[in-house]
Amino acid sequence: DLLRLFERALRRAHLPVAMSQGYNPRPRIRLLVPLSVGIVGRNEVLDFELDEWVRPQEAKHRLAAQLPEGIVLRSLRSIPAKPDGRVSELSYRVRLLRGHSLTQRSLDELLAAEEIVVHRRRDGEAKRLNIAPFLRDVRLNEEELLMLVGASEQGTARPEEVLEALGCKPGKDYQKGAIERTHVSLPSSL
């Protein structure tokens, strides 16, 4: 949905977006790390390619004018062609319910674990993944849980998986729609 929103906004802004080749050409735009359904994005990264040079400030002004209320374009910059699209870290915030079961001890134990195995299904096939290497930091901040997870070609830890590993239950410890991705960090080379 967010990609379609930006496709329309780029078209209305009259920016010369590059198109893919082939039978069904599509605009060359992508979210570097798509959001899961039900997770709010506060600082996402959108990558799009233009056929012609447009000054970043002009492109930002034209695109921002076409975005609906609630979608804010914080910055726009030009990067080298064909970036690898890697993300280095993702930050999340989860608003906790009163009476949640999290303790500092449970967070410390999670961070010290060498293996936290989760099972994912893709194309009908179960896959086993150790998410422990992706956990950078997990901390309590009053009634919020803050997470910093690494991302690599091997994947990343999903916030729901971290919550499950902590023994948190939706509806008891947090509301299902209370997960927010607060930041997407790109490698410093971009």
Side-chain angles (χ1 to χ4, degrees):
D1 290 341
L2 197 54
L3 276 178
R4 282 194 299 272
L5 180 146
F6 273 98
E7 280 182 34
R8 290 189 302 267
L10 286 161
R11 192 171 36 251
R12 286 191 307 262
H14 301 289
L15 289 169
V17 178
M19 301 296 281
S20 65
Q21 302 297 312
Y23 181 72
N24 186 19
R26 307 281 308 153
R28 288 188 185 243
I29 67 172
R30 67 186 172 130
L31 287 165
L32 292 188
V33 183
L35 282 167
S36 297
V37 173
I39 296 181
V40 174
R42 296 282 178 213
N43 197 7
E44 297 301 300
V45 177
L46 178 78
D47 177 33
F48 61 91
E49 184 179 333
L50 299 180
D51 277 336
E52 302 169 18
W53 170 254
V54 177
R55 289 179 321 130
Q57 279 307 104
E58 180 186 343
K60 179 183 177 192
H61 177 73
R62 288 166 54 183
L63 182 56
Q66 301 303 321
L67 294 175
E69 186 176 328
I71 304 290
V72 178
L73 183 59
R74 295 180 192 266
S75 67
L76 189 144
R77 63 183 168 134
S78 176
I79 59 173
K82 303 289 183 196
D84 61 15
R86 281 185 286 150
V87 170
S88 58
E89 293 179 327
L90 303 163
S91 302
Y92 294 93
R93 174 178 43 222
V94 182
R95 293 174 215 255
L96 301 171
L97 295 173
R98 290 192 190 279
H100 64 80
S101 60
L102 289 177
T103 63
Q104 188 58 50
R105 183 177 177 192
S106 63
L107 300 179
D108 293 341
E109 288 172 359
L110 183 76
L111 287 170
E114 291 187 25
E115 187 172 72
I116 304 166
V117 176
V118 298
H119 299 276
R120 295 183 183 170
R121 294 199 67 77
R122 186 176 184 127
D123 300 326
E125 198 173 305
K127 182 180 176 185
R128 185 178 186 272
L129 179 66
N130 178 16
I131 63 169
F134 300 116
L135 293 181
R136 302 282 197 275
D137 193 19
V138 182
R139 66 178 64 177
L140 283 171
N141 180 21
E142 297 179 16
E143 294 300 311
E144 296 178 328
L145 178 68
L146 305 177
M147 296 181 221
L148 179 63
V149 297
S152 71
E153 292 175 2
Q154 288 74 39
T156 187
R158 296 176 182 160
E160 312 90 63
E161 295 167 338
V162 176
L163 288 162
E164 187 176 325
L166 286 165
C168 292
K169 305 280 187 239
K172 179 181 176 246
D173 297 302
Y174 68 97
Q175 288 295 336
K176 185 84 170 149
I179 301 174
E180 298 178 3
R181 184 159 63 202
T182 56
H183 195 73
V184 175
S185 299
L186 298 174
S188 57
S189 61
L190 288 182

